[in-house]
């Protein structure tokens, strides 16, 4: 069965972002809701005595007599386990759109690199955010080495629009990591397309349940599925989704050239994890907003950011384009020492990098360098713990950090 035949009927626009989590599409739009999509996405047609989700296919080569035709020839090119996952991700990225193609990668950075390096050539210019993912500056160096001009501007205020002139590709990260600024995707896409540019959106923090870049006009939706999509902190994975079959072929060719392929076990684990995506994301987003509201009134907290807060600088734009506001909250404590003490006092929160997992995590982001954040800046990823327990732990840790001086 073709990838197109495997896709599910789609839903219409999601809820207004400020509405209750979990009330996104469903009967009102004539299509299945997010939970139904997540549970059923990418599953093959039922076959008697076969599993609902086939197990991982471990194969470097396949039987291939005669001419090398058909979907599976060699393990670096395609794998049936990838195929199921790619169909599932495509269903979530753009429900009801059979033309969307998805390519999975060994990590989020592999997916990011594939778009940039498959679409740009010497003499081109690319516009990147100054406040995006920390590893992007590593790509700056490589792109310049290939003769590509790199321009940068902040995410907030749609500032990247000021440096578009003559560029080939606009790279958006919204909400940005770790500062949680938001840009207007529709506006950015409209102006970039009018100038003949391609647009890619890093949708890692939002996930397709929080925001659908392709529906907002982007050419590419890119994500590190290591984070919220798989959600258990045990898989490194990334993907690229796009409507244009030629662009998808170029991205897929880049994957083949550099060999940035996921293992079949990782792909299977990722697909299995998607079944609980809506359950996880709804719980995490709701608790994150509740935590943000509590922190807004705390005397030790400054610089609080969460797009779901009505007074957040990004709220108005986020409410127009996001279906859920995300599971990450950022804030500042007085200094490095106070932030370190706070992290040490937490009992239900892992002091770890990354975000989007079922177990809450937090870190003093400045320890890595590279992010323009204060020494006391905390990126807090809300997990699936009971909200009351998590919030109590955070408040207790803040109090203990203050008393410790």
């Amino acid at each position: 069965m073709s990838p197109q035949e495997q896709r599910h009927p789609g839903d219409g626009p999601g809820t207004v972002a400020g509405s209750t989590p979990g009330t996104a599409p469903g009967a009102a739009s004539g299509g299945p809701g997010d939970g139904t999509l997540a549970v059923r996405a990418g599953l093959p047609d039922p076959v008697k005595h076969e599993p609902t989700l086939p197990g991982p296919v471990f194969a470097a080569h396949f039987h291939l007599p005669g001419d090398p035709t058909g979907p599976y020839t060699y393990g670096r090119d395609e794998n049936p386990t990838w195929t199921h996952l790619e169909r599932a991700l495509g269903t979530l990225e753009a429900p009801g759109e059979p033309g969307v193609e998805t390519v999975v990668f060994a990590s989020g950075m592999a997916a990011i690199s594939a778009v940039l390096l498959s679409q740009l050539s010497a003499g081109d210019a690319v516009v990147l955010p100054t406040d995006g993912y920390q590893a992007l500056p590593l790509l700056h160096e490589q792109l310049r080495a290939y003769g590509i001009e790199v321009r940068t501007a902040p995410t907030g205020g749609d500032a990247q629009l000021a440096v578009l002139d003559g560029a080939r590709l606009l790279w958006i990260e919204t909400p940005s990591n770790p500062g949680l600024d938001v840009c207007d995707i529709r506006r950015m896409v409209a102006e970039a397309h009018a100038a003949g540019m391609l647009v890619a959106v890093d949708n890692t923090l939002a996930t397709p349940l929080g925001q659908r870049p392709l529906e907002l006009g982007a050419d590419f939706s890119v994500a590190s599925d290591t984070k919220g999509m798989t959600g258990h902190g045990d898989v490194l994975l990334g993907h690229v989704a796009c409507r244009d079959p030629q662009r998808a072929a170029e991205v897929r060719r880049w994957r083949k050239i550099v060999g940035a392929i996921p293992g079949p076990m990782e792909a299977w684990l990722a697909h299995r994890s998607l079944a609980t995506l809506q359950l996880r994301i709804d719980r995490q987003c709701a608790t994150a907003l509740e935590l943000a509201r509590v922190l807004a009134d705390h005397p030790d907290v400054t610089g609080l950011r969460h797009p779901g807060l009505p007074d957040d600088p990004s709220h108005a734009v986020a409410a127009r384009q996001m279906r859920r506001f995300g599971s990450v909250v950022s804030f500042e404590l007085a200094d490095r020492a106070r932030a370190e003490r706070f992290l040490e006092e937490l009992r239900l929160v892992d002091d770890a990098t990354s975000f989007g997992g079922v177990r809450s995590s937090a870190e003093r982001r400045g320890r890595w360098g590279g992010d323009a954040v204060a020494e006391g800046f905390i990126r807090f990823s809300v997990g699936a713990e009971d909200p009351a327990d998590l919030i109590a732990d955070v408040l207790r840790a803040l109090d203990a950090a203050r008393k410790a001086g």
Side-chain angles (χ1 to χ4, degrees):
M1 180 168 287
S2 71
Q4 289 75 20
E5 292 172 316
Q6 286 285 341
R7 299 188 191 279
H8 295 271
D11 53 9
T15 57
V16 175
S19 62
T20 303
T23 59
S29 62
D34 287 341
T36 302
L37 289 173
V39 168
R40 306 299 306 178
L43 299 180
D45 287 340
V47 176
K48 188 175 183 178
H49 305 308
E50 293 294 323
T52 304
L53 176 62
V57 175
F58 299 99
H61 60 267
F62 302 84
H63 289 295
L64 194 66
D67 293 333
T69 58
Y72 305 112
T73 58
Y74 183 64
R76 192 180 70 252
D77 297 340
E78 294 291 346
N79 178 289
T81 310
W82 305 350
T83 301
H84 292 306
L85 175 60
E86 288 172 343
R87 291 170 180 167
L89 292 170
T91 294
L92 295 170
E93 286 279 3
E97 294 193 34
V100 170
E101 296 191 33
T102 305
V103 186
V104 292
F105 288 86
S107 69
M109 276 306 297
I112 291 169
S113 300
V115 172
L116 292 170
L117 296 173
S118 70
Q119 301 303 308
L120 297 169
S121 303
D124 288 338
V126 61
V127 177
L128 298 166
T130 56
D131 52 345
Y133 179 51
Q134 185 194 43
L136 280 180
L138 300 176
L139 272 173
H140 295 185
E141 299 172 17
Q142 193 61 55
L143 291 169
R144 291 187 178 108
Y146 289 156
I148 296 164
E149 179 188 354
V150 176
R151 305 174 190 168
T152 60
T155 297
D158 301 345
Q160 290 172 280
L161 293 178
V163 292
L164 292 187
D165 188 38
R168 165 70 174 161
L169 188 147
L170 168 64
W171 186 274
I172 297 169
E173 183 177 312
T174 180
S176 62
N177 170 31
L180 303 183
D181 268 325
V182 171
C183 62
D184 187 333
I185 296 177
R186 290 185 183 88
R187 180 189 178 200
M188 303 282 278
V189 167
E191 296 204 23
H193 282 174
M197 297 175 61
L198 296 169
V199 180
V201 177
D202 185 333
N203 200 42
T204 301
L205 197 144
T207 80
L209 266 62
Q211 179 173 270
R212 290 184 176 140
L214 298 182
E215 290 184 356
L216 297 170
D219 299 289
F220 300 95
S221 179
V222 187
S224 169
D225 301 316
T226 308
K227 314 299 195 298
M229 289 295 282
T230 55
H232 290 78
D234 55 7
V235 172
L236 288 173
L237 202 79
H239 80 269
V240 177
C242 60
R243 288 191 179 93
D244 188 325
Q246 179 60 37
R247 302 292 177 211
E250 292 162 356
V251 170
R252 190 172 286 107
R253 178 175 180 272
W254 183 259
R255 180 180 68 180
K256 177 177 179 177
I257 291 171
V258 300
I261 59 172
M265 189 66 191
E266 287 78 6
W268 184 85
L269 285 169
H271 196 169
R272 177 214 59 177
S273 297
L274 290 180
T276 61
L277 179 63
Q278 184 254 347
L279 299 173
R280 292 185 280 107
I281 293 296
D282 278 354
R283 176 62 168 263
Q284 291 169 257
C285 290
T287 305
L289 184 54
E290 188 174 347
L291 174 63
R293 287 169 176 155
V294 170
L295 292 176
D297 296 325
H298 199 284
D300 294 345
V301 171
T302 60
L304 177 68
R305 297 298 303 273
H306 182 68
L309 292 171
D311 58 352
D312 187 273
S314 294
H315 179 74
V317 175
R320 292 197 298 269
Q321 67 190 23
M322 296 187 74
R323 306 165 70 245
R324 292 168 176 84
F325 289 119
S327 62
V328 177
V329 179
S330 68
F331 56 94
E332 295 177 19
L333 298 179
D335 51 32
R336 174 174 181 168
R338 178 71 67 86
E340 295 285 6
R341 286 194 295 271
F342 165 70
L343 294 170
E344 290 170 3
E345 290 290 341
L346 290 166
R347 296 170 183 166
L348 299 179
V349 181
D350 297 332
D351 188 345
T353 195
S354 197
F355 56 86
V358 291
R359 290 173 290 277
S360 291
S361 63
E363 69 172 333
R364 191 183 66 81
R365 191 63 187 164
R367 65 180 175 172
W368 297 99
D371 289 319
V373 296
E375 285 293 302
F377 180 94
I378 300 291
R379 184 181 69 183
F380 196 108
S381 172
V382 175
E385 298 88 357
D386 285 303
D389 294 336
L390 181 63
I391 291 171
D393 189 42
V394 170
L395 293 177
R396 183 199 51 77
L398 286 170
D399 184 56
R402 184 194 318 114
K403 291 177 179 178

